[in-house]
Amino acid sequence: MKFRYRKLITTGLISAGLAQIASADIIRGQVTDASGEAPLEGAIVRIEGLDRSTTTDRYGDYRFANIPAGEYTVSVSYIGAQPVTETVTVQNEARLDVRVGSDVRYLDNVLVVGSKAAQAGAINQQRASGAIISVIDSDGLGNFPDTTVADSLARVPGLSIETDQGEGRYVSIRGINTDLIAASINGVRTPSPEDRRGVLLDGVPSDLLDGITVQKSLTPNVDADSLGGVIDLKTISAFDRDGRFIRAKLEGAYNEISEQVSPKATLTYSDTFNDTLGVALSVNYQDLAIETHNNETGEWGFLDDGTAFLNDDYEQRWYDLTRQRLGFIANFDWRVSDNTDLYLRTLYNNYEDNEVRNKFEFRDLDDAEDDGVVTANSQTLPLNEMDAEVRQRREVRQIQTYALGGQTDWQAWSFDYEVAYAYAEEDDSDNHDVTFRFEDIQDAAAAAGLADSDVVIDFSNPETPKFSGALLDLVYDPSNYFLDAFEEEETVNEDAEISARFDISRESLIGDTPVEWQAGMKIRDREKTRDANVTFYEADDFNLSPFVGNQLISGWRLANPMPAWPDPDLTSALRNGAGEGFELDEDSTNFDSLAEDFTIDEQILAAYAMGTFDLGPLTLIAGVRMEDTKTDLSGNIFAEEDDPANLVRRNVSNDYTNWLPSINARYAFNDKLIARGAYYAAVVRPSFGEMAPFTAFNDDRDELELGNPNLDPYEADNFDLSLEYYPTELSVLSVGAFYKQIDNAIFPATFEREEDDNGDLVPLSEFLQTVPVDLSYLTPGQLADVEEVTSFINVGSSELYGIEFNYVQSLSDLNPMLEGFLVSANLTLTDSESTLPDGREVSFLKQSETIWNLAVGYDKGPWDLRVSANYRGDYIDELFEEDLDRMTNDRLLVEASAKYKVNDHIQLYLEGKNLTDEPEYYYFGSERRLSQYDEFGTTVVFGARLTY
């Protein structure tokens, strides 16, 4: 790693400058449930008289330093249990272990049984935190029918998800899309297997996790690369419980569309040896069958009278895929002494999609404007071309993280250290895509003697348009289709990061005020590469008929019949140009294989200093973080139909530094009422695909598409206020408001060369002055014919603001007759505003104005029941132009689960996903204008857990 040593030395001096000398008598201990076996995270431990307080970590451990010798009263507060008070005598070092609550036993990798325990765990961690966080306890992951981490996160206040094939994939926090938030596994930043920063969260199975924390306000000791928050996935540790633990889980999932049962299995083992060595292993496997029915359109236009019409294409798509997930965790903890803990955390996850996609496309529907009839609900037009296409795709994604580190306490000092390696890969190396085309349809109609060769498209139901007309008999005859193109792909995206951090902290006093000083530094070295390899073949007079198996897809849900041809098992024989008369399309092959390849090396050196001030009821965490970024970027300059020998490599380097202050305040009016306020500055670097220095000309050299390596990073000032009220033993009612002032937001933009009054193009120099992208590296000859430039640009200031409500309640706290009943609800309202270069004001991409969740449960005796609903409002998915932006429609998902405890070791469960058979719908500007419509069906999950 080529880091600058001067900055490294400066960082070390900042850390060393925090040293103070004072006495260091210590109280340490552990808070557990009444059995002494289950540690409690988030318990508040207070030394009365000294007015010192701290919170327990994931192992239930707590520690006070700089305590004068003497006798003290220590109180422990944990929501869901009665407060406990103990007395301890301090001389050098004292240990006080505290048990709270009633006796419990383990179930499903959690500290106590059922939904109530999960609710208590999440509330306590959120209450005790110095920052604004949301928590999903480990049992919470099992209480909903969630396959993926993204699905679990959809129930957190302020979070919404994007789906793929009906499963949650990407997560948005408070309207901030996935590329502008961060995800980590055990604190290690997770790389992305795609050409972006956003992390796919549908690959990591929720069964491998022990909990999820969403940190919405950042402190200086946290990487500042997030505008919305940080999602941290916490895997299991042997010291999460006492002694040996074994859990086996076996389930099946039945989907009404695929009509298949998909198996899933998880095995978890952990044990501790001599109370010093902990080993935790978990393996998860799933083979999920998915079938999706889809139709979509290319684009819409408007007639002179304002009537909208479909002016591009209409496609029907049938997806049949198996999604295999294999995950493995191996975590090791070694308590070397009372003062030193070491750990090794490893995660390996392999995700494989084996997909068949048949596409049936009605092409060139723009004739409706000149040669057809357009009404509000239909259009009639001559049909000219059809495509029948099949893709067989095998996509393999891997995510791996490895972290070796530890913590050492020495008197009032504490040292944390870690080295980590994270790797992600997306490999599309076994794909083929073949298209057969029916051309000259009007000539074929005349030859067949059809008096009416038009088709009618009925948009009465805009989600599923219906085609009619005598011409369709020819359209559904495969003998009319001939090969247009055969494509093979072997593309690999890789993302690897090596990091190292060192943190030092010390407890001290300023007068009578306890202060914990902390400083540290971190080095991150990341390399992102994209290597596309696409091969195109052409052939003449190659008929579709030999590649037909079944005629139609059975059980098709949409309005028009869906052909089952071409058959991928038959077309696979054409791979590697094996078809008769196949010719390599060198120009298309070269362009798609070379134009957008890139390599990006990103190095970040960070340092921070902060203090945590314990001012009685007020706790302040204040400090500053410095992040110095250096990027080296490399991409290709290439044009369609050019010789690869003329390929030019473009190299760009950038270097910039950000100073990022933050302050988090927590004020406890009493044990039941807590107020919070926070400010933090953040910086998010441009997405890799946006800043990659590729430059691609079309074959006429009049259109130019390029990345923008000179993009400025997003910079944001983030403000939060919240009030939390804990009215009863196991409940919380909270309200929070947030505001984000964001500079340098990045949007795609296209700039077109206008004509002057005489109909001539304006001079090139005048046009280039209107393009806010550096084109100086291109020669006048390369730019001579350019009429359109598409790239990414920064815009000015943007705003995002909103309010969150959250309510969690055990109804037995209100009335003993309602014992066992639980309810939770949250609502988030947001709005945002950005101004594009043309003056148009738009909201942030992927930002829903309204998100809410509601869940009602019953947890008593052997039964654990729950019904939940999740609503996400519509949002802008992609910008085109006013009234034609691609929108994602609102969506309400209803799910339910029922668990029955047979005995202390066996639990049976039944769960339902998407019980109302809710589709996913995208539209262009208005719900009357279809963009994409998908149906996934309802899924029923059944299974059993064995815990020992």
Side-chain angles (χ1 to χ4, degrees):
M1 290 181 279
K2 303 175 182 178
F3 282 104
R4 289 129 290 173
Y5 292 103
R6 183 179 300 173
K7 292 177 180 176
L8 195 63
I9 293 170
T10 301
T11 303
L13 292 175
I14 291 174
S15 300
L18 295 175
Q20 296 182 31
I21 300 174
S23 62
D25 289 353
I26 293 169
I27 301 175
R28 69 167 73 235
Q30 184 184 43
V31 178
T32 65
D33 70 318
S35 70
E37 297 177 342
L40 301 181
E41 182 176 3
I44 297 177
V45 184
R46 179 174 295 277
I47 303 176
E48 306 296 343
L50 292 182
D51 208 20
R52 296 274 301 273
S53 65
T54 189
T55 60
T56 55
D57 62 15
R58 67 177 294 180
Y59 305 119
D61 294 331
Y62 71 92
R63 182 177 185 270
F64 293 97
N66 286 330
I67 304 298
E71 185 174 272
Y72 297 97
T73 298
V74 176
S75 64
V76 177
S77 171
Y78 187 83
I79 290 179
Q82 293 296 317
V84 174
T85 300
E86 302 277 359
T87 301
V88 63
T89 300
V90 178
Q91 184 66 45
N92 295 324
E93 182 170 331
R95 182 173 184 88
L96 177 64
D97 295 331
V98 181
R99 300 185 182 189
V100 301
S102 58
D103 195 8
V104 294
R105 298 186 181 181
Y106 292 114
L107 180 66
D108 190 28
N109 194 22
V110 298
L111 53 97
V112 287
V113 174
S115 300
K116 187 174 180 180
Q119 188 168 289
I123 290 175
N124 277 283
Q125 292 174 55
Q126 291 165 191
R127 181 186 67 146
S129 174
I132 297 173
I133 67 171
S134 295
V135 176
I136 303 177
D137 183 77
S138 56
D139 199 35
L141 298 181
N143 277 331
F144 294 100
D146 299 329
T147 299
T148 74
V149 170
D151 287 329
S152 297
L153 287 166
R155 297 174 180 84
V156 173
L159 272 65
S160 62
I161 62 172
E162 294 180 67
T163 60
D164 176 74
Q165 306 295 355
E167 291 191 306
R169 168 162 287 187
Y170 302 107
V171 174
S172 168
I173 301 178
R174 292 174 163 179
I176 301 292
N177 75 67
T178 191
D179 286 310
L180 306 180
I181 62 177
S184 58
I185 299 175
N186 297 315
V188 177
R189 280 291 185 264
T190 307
S192 171
E194 299 180 300
D195 62 346
R196 57 190 299 180
R197 291 190 185 271
V199 178
L200 305 99
L201 292 175
D202 61 346
V204 180
S206 58
D207 285 326
L208 294 181
L209 303 181
D210 194 58
I212 305 176
T213 299
V214 181
Q215 184 168 343
K216 297 177 180 177
S217 67
L218 303 188
T219 49
N221 57 341
V222 176
D223 292 317
D225 53 351
S226 176
L227 302 189
V230 178
I231 299 169
D232 187 44
L233 312 180
K234 183 174 66 176
T235 61
I236 61 174
S237 167
F239 289 116
D240 289 334
R241 59 197 55 80
D242 184 54
R244 180 173 298 170
F245 173 79
I246 299 174
R247 182 191 65 188
K249 179 179 178 182
L250 184 64
E251 74 176 36
Y254 176 82
N255 179 267
E256 63 172 326
I257 297 183
S258 68
E259 298 182 338
Q260 297 185 53
V261 175
S262 302
K264 178 181 175 182
T266 306
L267 179 62
T268 301
Y269 163 86
S270 70
D271 204 352
T272 58
F273 303 91
N274 298 322
D275 292 328
T276 58
L277 179 64
V279 178
L281 309 172
S282 187
V283 61
N284 172 273
Y285 176 77
Q286 182 184 36
D287 190 350
L288 180 64
I290 297 175
E291 183 176 336
T292 303
H293 297 182
N294 157 286
N295 61 186
E296 53 191 76
T297 66
E299 62 182 51
W300 291 70
F302 295 98
L303 301 179
D304 291 339
D305 64 2
T307 304
F309 73 101
L310 183 59
N311 71 341
D312 190 3
D313 66 334
Y314 167 83
E315 300 177 359
Q316 295 182 165
R317 299 185 178 201
W318 174 75
Y319 292 88
D320 181 27
L321 64 138
T322 57
R323 183 164 287 175
Q324 296 179 334
R325 295 180 174 92
L326 176 63
F328 180 73
I329 285 173
N331 290 339
F332 304 90
D333 293 271
W334 181 25
R335 293 183 168 172
V336 181
S337 66
D338 288 341
N339 296 318
T340 297
D341 293 341
L342 301 178
Y343 61 82
L344 173 64
R345 308 259 186 265
T346 69
L347 178 142
Y348 171 86
N349 189 76
N350 190 82
Y351 169 107
E352 181 174 323
D353 258 359
N354 288 283
E355 176 185 284
V356 171
R357 187 204 69 186
N358 278 87
K359 184 175 78 172
F360 196 55
E361 179 179 359
F362 294 76
R363 293 171 50 83
D364 300 332
L365 301 179
D366 55 330
D367 281 355
E369 183 175 14
D370 299 320
D371 302 323
V373 178
V374 178
T375 71
N377 291 316
S378 69
Q379 59 190 65
T380 304
L381 72 160
L383 188 63
N384 297 309
E385 286 187 342
M386 290 289 301
D387 276 357
E389 176 185 330
V390 69
R391 170 189 290 176
Q392 191 169 47
R393 179 179 67 94
R394 177 175 174 267
E395 179 186 81
V396 180
R397 298 204 308 259
Q398 286 187 9
I399 294 177
Q400 303 175 45
T401 63
Y402 306 90
L404 177 65
Q407 176 177 320
T408 297
D409 297 325
W410 178 67
Q411 296 183 356
W413 296 88
S414 184
F415 306 90
D416 281 281
Y417 35 88
E418 180 182 83
V419 292
Y421 174 75
Y423 176 80
E425 179 185 79
E426 182 181 66
D427 187 349
D428 286 315
S429 60
D430 190 15
N431 301 346
H432 83 264
D433 197 323
V434 57
T435 302
F436 291 85
R437 180 163 294 172
F438 181 8
E439 296 181 315
D440 303 323
I441 293 178
Q442 293 300 311
D443 293 342
L450 294 182
D452 185 359
S453 59
D454 286 346
V455 294
V456 179
I457 313 175
D458 183 357
F459 295 105
S460 298
N461 182 352
E463 297 174 341
T464 57
K466 184 173 178 59
F467 283 69
S468 61
L471 190 65
L472 295 182
D473 288 337
L474 297 176
V475 165
Y476 282 93
D477 182 354
S479 66
N480 289 320
Y481 292 77
F482 292 86
L483 183 71
D484 179 68
F486 190 92
E487 174 186 341
E488 296 179 58
E489 182 177 6
E490 295 185 3
T491 295
V492 177
N493 291 310
E494 293 183 287
D495 194 354
E497 178 173 300
I498 299 173
S499 64
R501 65 173 179 84
F502 179 77
D503 301 280
I504 181 172
S505 62
R506 188 184 192 285
E507 295 186 37
S508 65
L509 295 173
I510 298 180
D512 294 328
T513 301
V515 181
E516 181 181 13
W517 299 105
Q518 187 173 340
M521 57 185 177
K522 185 173 184 178
I523 297 170
R524 300 171 62 187
D525 191 355
R526 184 173 188 176
E527 184 178 69
K528 186 84 171 184
T529 61
R530 173 175 172 81
D531 181 17
N533 295 281
V534 186
T535 306
F536 292 90
Y537 295 97
E538 295 177 336
D540 296 327
D541 301 324
F542 207 84
N543 193 261
L544 171 59
S545 297
F547 303 97
V548 175
N550 297 324
Q551 285 292 327
L552 297 174
I553 300 296
S554 62
W556 181 250
R557 289 182 157 205
L558 306 186
N560 311 291
M562 180 64 194
W565 32 265
D567 188 316
D569 293 332
L570 300 175
T571 59
S572 60
L574 303 177
R575 291 179 64 86
N576 301 316
E580 181 179 350
F582 265 38
E583 293 184 2
L584 177 67
D585 181 350
E586 292 190 17
D587 290 334
S588 297
T589 296
N590 292 334
F591 185 76
D592 281 41
S593 298
L594 296 173
E596 296 188 12
D597 286 358
F598 64 79
T599 299
I600 297 176
D601 186 64
E602 180 179 83
Q603 298 175 347
I604 301 170
L605 173 63
Y608 74 91
M610 58 182 276
T612 301
F613 301 83
D614 189 348
L615 301 169
L618 175 64
T619 301
L620 283 176
I621 304 175
V624 64
R625 184 178 184 89
M626 181 277 294
E627 292 196 352
D628 183 79
T629 306
K630 184 178 186 299
T631 56
D632 296 304
L633 311 97
S634 182
N636 296 333
I637 303 174
F638 196 65
E640 283 186 290
E641 300 184 0
D642 201 357
D643 189 329
N646 297 329
L647 178 76
V648 176
R649 196 74 170 169
R650 183 188 180 198
N651 300 303
V652 181
S653 295
N654 291 314
D655 194 348
Y656 52 90
T657 301
N658 297 91
W659 291 89
L660 307 162
S662 73
I663 183 169
N664 283 259
R666 176 185 183 273
Y667 188 88
F669 293 96
N670 51 51
D671 289 340
K672 293 187 175 184
L673 187 62
I674 297 174
R676 298 180 189 272
Y679 161 77
Y680 73 93
V683 56
V684 175
R685 294 139 191 106
S687 183
F688 295 104
E690 295 169 347
M691 66 177 179
F694 69 88
T695 307
F697 291 89
N698 69 340
D699 55 350
D700 294 326
R701 306 316 197 257
D702 61 349
E703 294 181 3
L704 171 61
E705 182 178 353
L706 68 156
N708 186 355
N710 297 312
L711 286 169
D712 292 324
Y714 290 79
E715 296 177 341
D717 292 311
N718 305 269
F719 302 87
D720 275 271
L721 287 173
S722 69
L723 190 65
E724 303 166 5
Y725 179 53
Y726 302 87
T728 59
E729 185 177 279
L730 193 56
S731 64
V732 59
L733 178 64
S734 66
V735 58
F738 55 89
Y739 173 80
K740 298 176 183 292
Q741 178 73 40
I742 302 170
D743 293 327
N744 308 324
I746 298 171
F747 285 92
T750 297
F751 302 90
E752 296 182 355
R753 193 172 173 184
E754 304 289 344
E755 295 181 350
D756 60 23
D757 294 338
N758 298 321
D760 298 323
L761 292 174
V762 300
L764 179 64
S765 59
E766 183 178 330
F767 166 62
L768 294 181
Q769 289 177 2
T770 68
V771 180
V773 181
D774 179 21
L775 300 176
S776 62
Y777 63 96
L778 297 172
T779 67
Q782 290 173 311
L783 294 171
D785 298 321
V786 170
E787 298 179 17
E788 181 179 288
V789 176
T790 299
S791 188
F792 300 91
I793 62 169
N794 294 112
V795 301
S797 295
S798 305
E799 293 181 309
L800 189 146
Y801 46 89
I803 188 169
E804 294 176 345
F805 301 92
N806 186 38
Y807 177 57
V808 179
Q809 180 72 64
S810 171
L811 298 185
S812 61
D813 291 344
L814 305 179
N815 189 324
M817 296 182 64
L818 298 176
E819 183 180 357
F821 284 96
L822 311 167
V823 64
S824 63
N826 58 70
L827 169 66
T828 303
L829 304 173
T830 62
D831 201 358
S832 62
E833 184 178 290
S834 292
T835 303
L836 301 180
D838 61 3
R840 185 159 73 101
E841 294 184 349
V842 298
S843 62
F844 258 54
L845 299 182
K846 317 292 186 182
Q847 183 241 319
S848 299
E849 291 187 356
T850 304
I851 304 167
W852 59 259
N853 291 278
L854 175 65
V856 178
Y858 177 78
D859 178 14
K860 184 179 180 181
W863 288 103
D864 191 348
L865 312 175
R866 187 173 288 257
V867 177
S868 65
N870 169 256
Y871 173 82
R872 179 215 63 208
D874 56 6
Y875 59 78
I876 297 177
D877 183 65
E878 189 174 356
L879 289 173
F880 289 100
E881 59 182 277
E882 193 166 5
D883 295 325
L884 286 175
D885 291 332
R886 176 176 152 105
M887 306 288 297
T888 303
N889 204 22
D890 58 358
R891 193 178 187 199
L892 175 65
L893 294 178
V894 179
E895 302 177 344
S897 67
K899 300 178 181 179
Y900 180 77
K901 185 178 71 171
V902 178
N903 54 42
D904 288 343
H905 301 292
I906 299 175
Q907 183 188 59
L908 306 178
Y909 58 92
L910 180 68
E911 301 169 341
K913 299 181 64 174
N914 194 19
L915 292 176
T916 57
D917 195 11
E918 184 83 356
E920 186 84 88
Y921 182 48
Y922 303 81
Y923 57 88
F924 286 113
S926 165
E927 293 182 27
R928 299 294 307 168
R929 297 191 283 271
L930 165 72
S931 173
Q932 180 179 331
Y933 174 85
D934 298 275
E935 290 202 9
F936 314 105
T938 297
T939 299
V940 176
V941 179
F942 52 91
R945 291 188 181 101
L946 171 66
T947 305
Y948 176 77

